[in-house]
């Protein structure tokens, strides 16, 4: 679901992963027609990094 959100509304996806300043900057980037594609790519990349960070935190919590 978040992946679809990252493609259609990139700025909103940043708010779901607790990065509001990036979301505001992405909204400004998305306001231009040319900026929509880079905003969507950035949003998908940030989402993948967020998922990786969650997996690392879960792995570290299991070790302790």
């Amino acid at each position: 679901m978040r992946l679809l959100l990252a493609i259609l509304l990139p700025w909103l996806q940043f708010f779901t992963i607790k990065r509001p300043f990036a979301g505001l900057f992405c909204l400004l980037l998305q306001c231009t027609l040319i900026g929509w594609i880079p905003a969507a790519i950035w949003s998908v990349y940030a989402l993948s990094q967020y998922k990786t960070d969650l997996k690392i935190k879960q792995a570290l919590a299991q070790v302790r």
Side-chain angles (χ1 to χ4, degrees), residues 13-25:
Q13 187 272 137
F14 279 105
F15 286 98
T16 67
I17 62 172
K18 299 176 180 92
R19 294 185 59 195
F21 294 111
L24 291 175
F25 184 74

Side-chain angles (χ1 to χ4, degrees), residues 5-54:
L5 186 65
I7 294 169
L8 297 178
L9 296 171
W11 63 273
L12 188 58
Q13 187 272 137
F14 279 105
F15 286 98
T16 67
I17 62 172
K18 299 176 180 92
R19 294 185 59 195
F21 294 111
L24 291 175
F25 184 74
C26 188
L27 179 61
L28 292 174
L29 181 63
Q30 188 178 341
C31 285
T32 65
L33 186 61
I34 297 171
W36 187 288
I37 294 172
I41 293 169
W42 179 31
S43 183
V44 169
Y45 175 74
L47 180 61
S48 71
Q49 291 298 314
Y50 175 73
K51 288 181 181 180
T52 302
D53 290 344
L54 286 180

